[in-house]
Amino acid sequence: MTKNQFLTEANKYLERIEGNFKESTFKEKQRKLRFYAETIYELHQQGIVSTCNPRKFTPEDFYQYQMYRMKTVEGSTFHKDYSILNGFFEYLGNNVVKQYKAIYGNKKPPAYGGRINPLSDKAIGKVLKLARETDEWDILEGCVAIILGFTAGIRPQEVRMLHAEDVVYPGDRPYVFVRH
Protein backbone atom coordinates (compact mmCIF):
# COMPACT_ATOMS: atom_id res chain seq x y z
CA MET A 1 0.00 0.00 0.00
CA THR A 2 1.36 3.41 -0.95
CA LYS A 3 1.59 6.40 1.32
CA ASN A 4 -0.98 9.18 0.97
CA GLN A 5 1.43 11.84 -0.33
CA PHE A 6 -1.43 14.30 -0.89
CA LEU A 7 -2.31 14.20 2.83
CA THR A 8 1.34 14.56 3.84
CA GLU A 9 1.77 17.65 1.67
CA ALA A 10 -1.61 19.04 2.76
CA ASN A 11 -0.59 18.77 6.43
CA LYS A 12 2.69 20.61 5.73
CA TYR A 13 0.76 23.33 3.89
CA LEU A 14 -1.74 23.64 6.75
CA GLU A 15 1.06 24.00 9.31
CA ARG A 16 2.52 26.77 7.19
CA ILE A 17 -0.70 28.80 6.84
CA GLU A 18 -2.19 28.17 10.29
CA GLY A 19 -1.82 31.68 11.74
CA ASN A 20 -2.90 33.50 8.59
CA PHE A 21 -6.64 32.91 8.83
CA LYS A 22 -9.43 33.25 11.34
CA GLU A 23 -9.72 30.00 13.31
CA SER A 24 -13.06 29.00 11.77
CA THR A 25 -11.74 29.63 8.25
CA PHE A 26 -8.60 27.63 8.95
CA LYS A 27 -10.61 24.72 10.39
CA GLU A 28 -12.78 24.69 7.25
CA LYS A 29 -9.68 24.67 4.98
CA GLN A 30 -8.19 21.91 7.11
CA ARG A 31 -11.35 19.79 6.96
CA LYS A 32 -11.74 20.24 3.21
CA LEU A 33 -8.08 19.60 2.33
CA ARG A 34 -8.07 16.41 4.38
CA PHE A 35 -11.28 15.30 2.67
CA TYR A 36 -9.75 16.03 -0.77
CA ALA A 37 -6.63 14.09 0.23
CA GLU A 38 -8.63 11.02 1.23
CA THR A 39 -10.75 11.19 -1.93
CA ILE A 40 -7.75 11.54 -4.23
CA TYR A 41 -5.95 8.71 -2.41
CA GLU A 42 -8.98 6.44 -2.95
CA LEU A 43 -9.15 7.44 -6.63
CA HIS A 44 -5.44 6.63 -6.98
CA GLN A 45 -5.98 3.22 -5.37
CA GLN A 46 -8.79 2.55 -7.87
CA GLY A 47 -6.59 3.66 -10.79
CA ILE A 48 -8.81 6.63 -11.71
CA VAL A 49 -6.04 9.22 -11.18
CA SER A 50 -2.40 8.53 -11.99
CA THR A 51 -0.89 9.81 -8.74
CA CYS A 52 -1.73 10.97 -5.25
CA ASN A 53 1.36 13.21 -5.18
CA PRO A 54 0.05 16.79 -5.56
CA ARG A 55 3.36 17.95 -7.04
CA LYS A 56 2.86 15.55 -9.97
CA PHE A 57 -0.90 16.01 -10.34
CA THR A 58 -1.86 16.63 -13.99
CA PRO A 59 -4.82 18.43 -15.59
CA GLU A 60 -6.14 15.01 -16.65
CA ASP A 61 -6.00 13.83 -13.03
CA PHE A 62 -7.81 16.98 -11.94
CA TYR A 63 -10.46 16.35 -14.60
CA GLN A 64 -11.00 12.79 -13.35
CA TYR A 65 -11.22 14.08 -9.77
CA GLN A 66 -13.78 16.71 -10.79
CA MET A 67 -15.94 14.20 -12.66
CA TYR A 68 -15.89 11.91 -9.63
CA ARG A 69 -16.75 14.76 -7.22
CA MET A 70 -19.54 16.09 -9.39
CA LYS A 71 -21.38 12.79 -9.05
CA THR A 72 -21.87 13.56 -5.35
CA VAL A 73 -22.07 17.38 -5.14
CA GLU A 74 -23.60 20.24 -7.09
CA GLY A 75 -21.45 21.99 -9.67
CA SER A 76 -21.53 25.24 -7.71
CA THR A 77 -20.15 23.43 -4.65
CA PHE A 78 -17.26 22.02 -6.61
CA HIS A 79 -16.46 25.38 -8.20
CA LYS A 80 -16.18 26.89 -4.71
CA ASP A 81 -13.55 24.27 -3.93
CA TYR A 82 -11.35 25.51 -6.79
CA SER A 83 -9.92 28.30 -4.65
CA ILE A 84 -8.75 26.00 -1.84
CA LEU A 85 -7.25 23.48 -4.25
CA ASN A 86 -5.69 26.20 -6.41
CA GLY A 87 -4.02 27.81 -3.37
CA PHE A 88 -2.67 24.45 -2.23
CA PHE A 89 -1.37 23.43 -5.66
CA GLU A 90 0.21 26.85 -6.27
CA TYR A 91 1.96 26.65 -2.88
CA LEU A 92 3.55 23.43 -4.13
CA GLY A 93 4.56 25.03 -7.43
CA ASN A 94 2.00 23.12 -9.47
CA ASN A 95 -0.36 25.28 -11.51
CA VAL A 96 -2.59 22.31 -12.39
CA VAL A 97 -5.86 24.18 -11.77
CA LYS A 98 -4.93 26.93 -14.24
CA GLN A 99 -3.77 24.32 -16.76
CA TYR A 100 -6.98 22.38 -16.23
CA LYS A 101 -9.14 25.46 -16.85
CA ALA A 102 -7.11 26.31 -19.97
CA ILE A 103 -7.58 22.81 -21.40
CA TYR A 104 -11.04 21.82 -20.20
CA GLY A 105 -12.65 25.16 -19.33
CA ASN A 106 -15.37 24.72 -16.76
CA LYS A 107 -16.33 21.28 -18.02
CA LYS A 108 -19.67 20.07 -16.79
CA PRO A 109 -20.58 16.45 -16.12
CA PRO A 110 -22.76 14.72 -18.74
CA ALA A 111 -25.88 14.96 -16.53
CA TYR A 112 -25.69 18.76 -16.32
CA GLY A 113 -28.59 20.20 -18.29
CA GLY A 114 -27.63 23.85 -18.15
CA ARG A 115 -29.33 26.77 -16.50
CA ILE A 116 -33.08 27.07 -16.93
CA ASN A 117 -35.17 30.22 -16.87
CA PRO A 118 -36.21 31.02 -13.30
CA LEU A 119 -39.82 31.90 -14.11
CA SER A 120 -41.80 31.23 -17.29
CA ASP A 121 -43.98 33.82 -19.01
CA LYS A 122 -47.01 31.79 -17.96
CA ALA A 123 -45.97 31.95 -14.29
CA ILE A 124 -45.28 35.69 -14.55
CA GLY A 125 -48.76 36.07 -16.09
CA LYS A 126 -50.28 34.28 -13.08
CA VAL A 127 -48.45 36.62 -10.69
CA LEU A 128 -49.63 39.69 -12.65
CA LYS A 129 -53.21 38.38 -12.71
CA LEU A 130 -53.12 37.76 -8.95
CA ALA A 131 -51.73 41.27 -8.39
CA ARG A 132 -54.58 42.81 -10.43
CA GLU A 133 -57.33 40.82 -8.70
CA THR A 134 -56.28 40.99 -5.05
CA ASP A 135 -57.39 43.47 -2.42
CA GLU A 136 -54.99 42.17 0.23
CA TRP A 137 -51.90 44.30 0.73
CA ASP A 138 -49.63 41.39 1.78
CA ILE A 139 -50.38 39.44 -1.40
CA LEU A 140 -49.92 42.53 -3.59
CA GLU A 141 -46.62 43.31 -1.86
CA GLY A 142 -45.43 39.74 -2.51
CA CYS A 143 -46.41 39.94 -6.19
CA VAL A 144 -44.52 43.24 -6.57
CA ALA A 145 -41.43 41.74 -4.90
CA ILE A 146 -41.50 38.72 -7.24
CA ILE A 147 -41.92 40.82 -10.38
CA LEU A 148 -39.26 43.35 -9.37
CA GLY A 149 -36.89 40.57 -8.36
CA PHE A 150 -37.06 38.67 -11.61
CA THR A 151 -37.04 41.73 -13.84
CA ALA A 152 -33.96 42.95 -11.95
CA GLY A 153 -32.19 39.61 -12.55
CA ILE A 154 -32.15 38.46 -8.95
CA ARG A 155 -31.65 34.73 -8.50
CA PRO A 156 -34.63 32.64 -7.30
CA GLN A 157 -33.06 31.93 -3.90
CA GLU A 158 -32.65 35.68 -3.40
CA VAL A 159 -36.19 36.50 -4.54
CA ARG A 160 -37.42 34.07 -1.90
CA MET A 161 -35.96 36.43 0.75
CA LEU A 162 -37.07 39.66 -0.94
CA HIS A 163 -39.52 42.09 0.68
CA ALA A 164 -41.08 45.13 -0.98
CA GLU A 165 -39.33 47.44 1.50
CA ASP A 166 -35.99 46.15 0.16
CA VAL A 167 -36.55 48.19 -3.01
CA VAL A 168 -35.33 51.76 -2.52
CA TYR A 169 -35.23 54.78 -4.84
CA PRO A 170 -32.26 56.97 -3.79
CA GLY A 171 -32.20 58.76 -7.15
CA ASP A 172 -33.21 58.05 -10.70
CA ARG A 173 -32.67 54.28 -10.45
CA PRO A 174 -34.20 51.84 -7.98
CA TYR A 175 -31.93 49.49 -6.02
CA VAL A 176 -32.77 46.19 -4.41
CA PHE A 177 -31.12 45.15 -1.15
CA VAL A 178 -31.57 41.45 -0.45
CA ARG A 179 -30.98 40.15 3.07
CA HIS A 180 -28.93 36.95 3.23
Side-chain angles (χ1 to χ4, degrees):
M1 184 175 256
T2 61
K3 185 171 124 180
N4 188 342
Q5 188 64 34
F6 201 99
L7 183 60
T8 303
E9 294 290 347
N11 286 333
K12 289 178 189 176
Y13 171 67
L14 289 166
E15 286 175 18
R16 184 77 183 217
I17 66 166
E18 187 170 1
N20 299 337
F21 297 95
K22 191 175 176 182
E23 185 178 345
S24 60
T25 304
F26 176 75
K27 293 269 187 208
E28 185 68 10
K29 282 182 180 283
Q30 184 179 47
R31 183 186 67 77
K32 285 186 174 186
L33 269 175
R34 289 182 177 163
F35 171 77
Y36 303 150
E38 292 302 320
T39 304
I40 288 170
Y41 184 69
E42 288 175 24
L43 294 175
H44 176 61
Q45 294 298 314
Q46 295 171 16
I48 296 172
V49 296
S50 65
T51 183
C52 65
N53 183 343
R55 294 179 189 274
K56 297 180 181 177
F57 221 66
T58 66
E60 292 77 23
D61 291 330
F62 195 81
Y63 171 76
Q64 291 301 326
Y65 169 71
Q66 178 189 11
M67 290 296 109
Y68 174 80
R69 269 291 267 152
M70 285 203 163
K71 292 177 185 174
T72 58
V73 299
E74 295 177 13
S76 60
T77 301
F78 183 81
H79 290 294
K80 291 175 187 174
D81 296 346
Y82 275 153
S83 62
I84 293 174
L85 288 167
N86 190 40
F88 172 62
F89 282 120
E90 282 188 346
Y91 168 78
L92 298 172
N94 185 350
N95 60 356
V96 68
V97 177
K98 288 182 182 175
Q99 290 174 358
Y100 164 80
K101 285 183 176 182
I103 295 168
Y104 295 102
N106 286 328
K107 187 131 179 145
K108 305 286 190 259
Y112 181 75
R115 190 173 193 164
I116 58 172
N117 291 332
L119 202 59
S120 68
D121 289 341
K122 185 177 178 182
I124 290 173
K126 287 181 181 179
V127 173
L128 289 171
K129 182 179 177 195
L130 178 62
R132 282 188 211 104
E133 294 173 353
T134 189
D135 290 336
E136 295 182 42
W137 179 251
D138 291 345
I139 293 174
L140 182 60
E141 194 176 45
C143 292
V144 169
I146 290 170
I147 293 166
L148 284 173
F150 284 118
T151 56
I154 296 174
R155 299 178 300 170
Q157 61 265 38
E158 294 170 334
V159 168
R160 188 171 47 88
M161 297 177 275
L162 187 65
H163 300 285
E165 65 266 11
D166 295 333
V167 181
V168 294
Y169 296 89
D172 295 339
R173 300 178 65 189
Y175 291 89
V176 179
F177 295 99
V178 182
R179 296 181 198 102
H180 288 275

